[in-house]
Amino acid sequence: MIEYQVVHSRRKTLALQVKRGQVFVRAPYHLDEQQIHAFIHKKEAWLNAKIFEQLQTAEQCCQFNQGATLLVFGQQVKLNIIYLNARKQPDVYLSSDTQQQQTLTIAFNQSQQTKWTTKLQQSLAVKKKIEAYFKAQALDIIFPKVDYYARLTQLSPTNIKIRQYRARWGSCNSKGELSFNYLLMMLPVFVIDYVVIHELCHLRHLNHSSDFWRLVAIYCPNFKEAKAWIKANQGALQWRQPQA
C-alpha cells in the first residue's frame, strides 16, 4: 500500500498531490480514514506512475556538487569544483580531459571554502555561478541568433529579454516582445535554434495553429526532432534547488 500524508481542511472534495515522490492527500474534515484509504486504492496505479516519474527525475537533476553531471549544449559534463589562492581563469569554464570527457570547472577563492558550514551552502554557491555562466552565454548566443532568423523570416521583435523561467524556454506576447530562458544553454544548438524560430513565428501567429507550425517548418524543418529531444531529456533539464 502506498504511504501517504493526510492534510485536513475545509475543502469539499478529496485531492491528491505527489511532491518529490511523497503523496499528500488534501481531505475535508468529514471524511474518515476508510474513505481516504479507498480513494488511494482506486488511484494506486496513477500514483505509482507519478512517484516513479518524480524519483527518476530527481536522480537526473544536477545536485551541484563535485562530480555531478549537467547538460551543457546538449552534452553531459562533469562538475569540477576547485579552490585557488589566486585566479587568472574565469569563474566557470568548459574543458576536456585526455579521454575527451567534458568538464565544467567552477572556481572559488580558497578563503570561500572556510565560510561554508554545510555542503548545501557550497551547492547553492555552485548553482549561482553556473546560472551566471549560462546567462552570459545566452547573451552572447541568443541575440545574434534572433537577429539572424529575424532577417531570414522578416519577423522582428520589439524587444528581447533573457532571464530564467521555471516552466518555459521562451515566450512571445501581443506587444511583439520575445523572452528567452537562459537555461537554453543546456540544450543542443539545433534545439536552441528551434526555440528562437518558434518564438519569432509567434510574431505572425500568436497561437499553435496549423498555420503556425507550417511557418515553423519552413525555417526549422527538423522542429519535430528538436521537440522530441526536449521531451526525452526532461528529467535532466529540471533546474531545482539543491537539497540538504
Side-chain angles (χ1 to χ4, degrees):
M1 181 64 186
I2 294 172
E3 292 185 5
Y4 57 90
Q5 181 178 332
V6 181
V7 180
H8 288 286
S9 68
R10 293 180 180 177
R11 61 179 300 121
K12 296 180 179 179
T13 58
L14 269 171
L16 296 176
Q17 180 186 29
V18 184
K19 191 174 181 181
R20 292 177 185 164
Q22 294 183 308
V23 178
F24 296 89
V25 184
R26 313 288 176 183
Y29 286 116
H30 63 82
L31 285 184
D32 60 29
E33 186 62 32
Q34 188 174 357
Q35 290 172 297
I36 294 171
H37 186 86
F39 185 69
I40 291 289
H41 180 71
K42 183 180 177 182
K43 299 290 184 179
E44 189 168 5
W46 178 83
L47 286 168
N48 279 326
K50 203 72 179 173
I51 291 167
F52 179 75
E53 176 189 328
Q54 289 192 4
L55 291 177
Q56 269 202 324
T57 297
E59 286 179 5
Q60 292 175 326
C61 286
C62 183
Q63 295 304 312
F64 305 102
N65 50 32
Q66 186 70 269
T69 57
L70 175 71
L71 283 173
V72 180
F73 297 116
Q75 299 295 317
Q76 285 279 2
V77 303
K78 278 192 174 184
L79 300 190
N80 178 38
I81 304 164
I82 61 173
Y83 303 91
L84 303 170
N85 288 323
R87 293 205 316 267
K88 291 184 180 178
Q89 69 266 51
D91 282 359
V92 182
Y93 59 93
L94 272 171
S95 59
S96 299
D97 61 19
T98 53
Q99 320 249 302
Q100 297 304 305
Q101 166 70 54
Q102 277 205 306
T103 299
L104 188 68
T105 297
I106 301 95
F108 292 96
N109 287 327
Q110 188 71 49
S111 59
Q112 184 66 58
Q113 192 174 17
T114 59
K115 295 179 182 178
W116 294 320
T117 57
T118 66
K119 240 180 173 181
L120 177 59
Q121 288 175 320
Q122 175 188 276
S123 296
L124 289 169
V126 169
K127 178 175 178 283
K128 188 175 181 179
K129 285 210 173 193
I130 295 173
E131 287 173 339
Y133 170 76
F134 278 158
K135 187 171 184 180
Q137 293 292 312
L139 289 169
D140 287 342
I141 291 170
I142 291 177
F143 278 94
K145 284 188 177 295
V146 172
D147 182 60
Y148 171 78
Y149 285 112
R151 284 187 277 108
L152 195 65
T153 61
Q154 297 187 357
L155 296 167
S156 298
T158 58
N159 192 22
I160 305 168
K161 297 177 184 177
I162 294 177
R163 52 166 294 180
Q164 187 185 140
Y165 293 97
R166 292 188 65 184
R168 58 184 175 178
W169 296 113
S171 67
C172 173
N173 64 26
S174 58
K175 296 177 182 178
E177 298 172 324
L178 302 187
S179 297
F180 295 96
N181 190 338
Y182 59 71
L183 296 181
L184 279 167
M185 300 303 101
M186 298 175 72
L187 279 55
V189 173
F190 85 94
V191 183
I192 298 173
D193 286 341
Y194 156 68
V195 174
V196 169
I197 293 166
H198 182 116
E199 300 310 332
L200 279 169
C201 288
H202 275 314
L203 294 172
R204 183 169 295 169
H205 304 288
L206 200 56
N207 52 46
H208 288 104
S209 63
S210 55
D211 287 337
F212 167 79
W213 288 113
R214 275 194 290 270
L215 185 62
V216 171
I218 292 171
Y219 301 104
C220 185
N222 62 343
F223 77 91
K224 290 183 180 178
E225 185 182 344
K227 289 175 68 177
W229 190 95
I230 293 173
K231 186 175 181 180
N233 292 277
Q234 275 182 338
L237 293 170
Q238 296 293 320
W239 199 255
R240 295 182 176 178
Q241 285 291 93
Q243 300 299 309

